[in-house]
Amino acid sequence: MRVTIKDVAREAGVSIKTVSRVLNNERYVGAETRDRVLAVVERLNFRPSAAARSLAGGKSLQIALICDNPSPYYVYEMQLGVRDRCVRQGVRMLSQPYDRASPSLLADIDALISAAHVDGLILTPPVSDHDALLDRLRERGTPFVRVSPGTCAEGSDAVFIDNERAAAEMAEHLLALGHRRIGMIAGHPGYATSAQRTRGFLAALAQAGIRPEPSLLRTGTFDFASGAAETAALLALPEPPSAIFAASDDMAAGALATAHRLGVKVPEQLSIAGFDDTALAPVVWPALTTVRQPVRELGYAAADLLFAATPGGERRQIAHSLIVRESTGPARG
C-alpha cells in the first residue's frame, strides 16, 4: 500500500501539519522533531505526490540550475549537490547549460521560466554576475541564488568560498617549499573567481616580498588546453619558474601533460598545483596538490537557500581546504 503523510505523522508521533512543515522546509519546527520526521520519511520511503503539492502550493516544484563552465567535473559535482537537496525537498531539478556571452541569454532564460514554470534559479559563475539577467529576474519576481558571485548586490542570496584566501594559502604552501620564482595561470577573465584567486596569490607573494615579473603571470580559460599551452610558454622563458599554480585542476592537468611531454620531472624540477580538487586531481600523475573547493556542498547550500522560507540577502560561506599531494615538492637547489 502507498505510504501517506498520515502514516509518517503517526510513526513520528507528530501532527500532519508538522510533517508538512518539515517537508516544505518551513520554520518553527525544532531540530530534533525535524530530524525524527525526516528519519521516518526515509525509513518509510515516503514520496509526496508532486501533483497534489503543486496544486496546493501554486508551484511547479521545479527549479533550474544554470551552468556555463568548461569543467565537466565542476558541473557534475554542482548537479549532485543541488539534486541532493532537491530530493529532500521533493522538488525536481532542471540543469541547463547556457553561454553567458550569447545575445539571446535573457530571452532563453525567460523562455525556460515561462515554459517550465520553475520556482527559482541557481546561477553558477559567470552567469551569477550577469547584471542584465539579475535585473530581469528581479523584474519577474523569480527567486534566485548566486554561486560564487563577484559582486555583493543587495537582496541577493549567495553561496561561496573565500577564493582570495584559498589562493593565498596555495602561494604560502609553495613559498614554504622554498619556491620564489612561481608562475600562475589565471582563469578565464570573464569569471570573478579568476580575479579573486589572482589577487590572493599576488597578495601572498607581496607579503613575502616577491613581485613576480609579468611574464610569469599567464591567463587561461579554465580548461586543459589553455593550461597546457600556457605552461609551454612559461617553460620556454629564459629563466622558467620552479613552480606553477594553475587556477583550476583542468588547467593544472594540462600543465602536467606539458611537463611530461617536455621531459620536465614533477615535482623534482617543477612543482604544479591546481584549484578545485575535482575527481581529476587524485588520478593524474603525480597526484595533484590543490585547493578543495567543495562544489557539491556549494550546490546543496545554494538549493537550501532557494528553498528557505524567507529568502533575500543571505550570504553563506563554505569552508575550503588545502590538499597536499605529490605534485609539489621542495624547490630545486
Side-chain angles (χ1 to χ4, degrees):
M1 295 179 62
R2 185 174 183 274
V3 177
T4 69
I5 193 171
K6 292 181 180 179
D7 298 321
V8 174
R10 184 179 62 255
E11 289 290 319
V14 299
S15 68
I16 292 174
K17 181 62 176 176
T18 297
V19 176
S20 178
R21 283 176 173 162
V22 171
L23 294 174
N24 290 303
N25 199 35
E26 295 179 10
R27 296 182 298 172
Y28 311 119
V29 179
E32 182 181 346
T33 301
R34 184 181 300 275
D35 290 342
R36 186 167 73 252
V37 170
L38 291 174
V40 173
V41 167
E42 184 69 23
R43 177 163 55 83
L44 298 182
N45 195 30
F46 174 63
R47 296 293 179 266
S49 167
R53 290 177 63 203
S54 178
L55 287 172
K59 295 184 177 182
S60 69
L61 301 180
Q62 296 186 128
I63 66 167
L65 170 64
I66 307 300
C67 296
D68 177 14
N69 193 292
S71 172
Y73 302 98
Y74 178 94
V75 174
Y76 177 67
E77 288 293 314
M78 182 63 63
Q79 288 174 336
L80 288 179
V82 174
R83 181 184 177 278
D84 285 348
R85 185 63 183 86
C86 284
V87 168
R88 179 179 170 184
Q89 192 74 15
V91 169
R92 182 180 293 108
M93 177 194 75
L94 306 177
S95 183
Q96 296 287 117
Y98 287 98
D99 179 2
R100 178 182 185 272
S102 170
S104 65
L105 176 66
L106 267 63
D108 291 340
I109 293 183
D110 263 337
L112 169 69
I113 296 171
S114 298
H117 303 288
V118 294
D119 300 324
L121 301 175
I122 294 174
L123 309 176
T124 63
V127 182
S128 52
D129 283 313
H130 194 293
D131 291 335
L133 174 60
L134 301 180
D135 290 341
R136 178 66 61 84
L137 294 177
R138 293 187 181 101
E139 290 171 6
R140 294 189 60 127
T142 302
F144 63 90
V145 175
R146 302 160 70 196
V147 178
S148 301
T151 56
C152 304
E154 291 291 330
S156 172
D157 288 329
V159 297
F160 58 96
I161 68 166
D162 188 340
N163 279 283
E164 288 193 34
R165 183 62 217 147
E169 288 174 9
M170 182 58 77
E172 290 163 359
H173 166 69
L174 295 172
L175 289 166
L177 290 171
H179 297 283
R180 293 298 178 268
R181 189 168 175 81
I182 306 173
M184 180 181 185
I185 306 175
H188 194 292
Y191 288 64
T193 51
S194 298
Q196 292 166 357
R197 293 172 192 177
T198 300
R199 284 197 300 269
F201 172 77
L202 293 177
L205 293 190
Q207 185 70 25
I210 298 173
R211 184 177 181 180
E213 61 190 55
S215 62
L216 290 174
L217 304 177
R218 315 292 300 186
T219 300
T221 50
F222 281 134
D223 60 358
F224 181 96
S226 65
E230 297 304 332
T231 297
L234 286 168
L235 295 181
L237 292 172
E239 187 181 351
S242 65
I244 294 175
F245 169 43
S248 78
D249 288 346
D250 290 75
M251 293 195 301
L256 281 171
T258 292
H260 294 328
R261 178 175 61 81
L262 297 177
V264 177
K265 294 181 179 180
V266 178
E268 293 84 356
Q269 295 173 291
L270 175 69
S271 286
I272 295 176
F275 199 109
D276 287 331
D277 197 31
T278 63
L280 182 66
V283 299
V284 295
W285 178 78
L288 195 62
T289 291
T290 187
V291 171
R292 180 174 184 268
Q293 175 178 214
V295 177
R296 190 180 302 196
E297 293 175 38
L298 285 168
Y300 189 97
D304 195 53
L305 285 182
L306 193 60
F307 298 142
T310 54
E314 181 177 347
R315 294 178 58 80
R316 189 177 298 180
Q317 182 173 326
I318 308 298
H320 65 271
S321 55
L322 183 66
I323 307 297
V324 178
R325 297 193 179 98
E326 291 75 34
S327 68
T328 54
R332 58 183 182 270

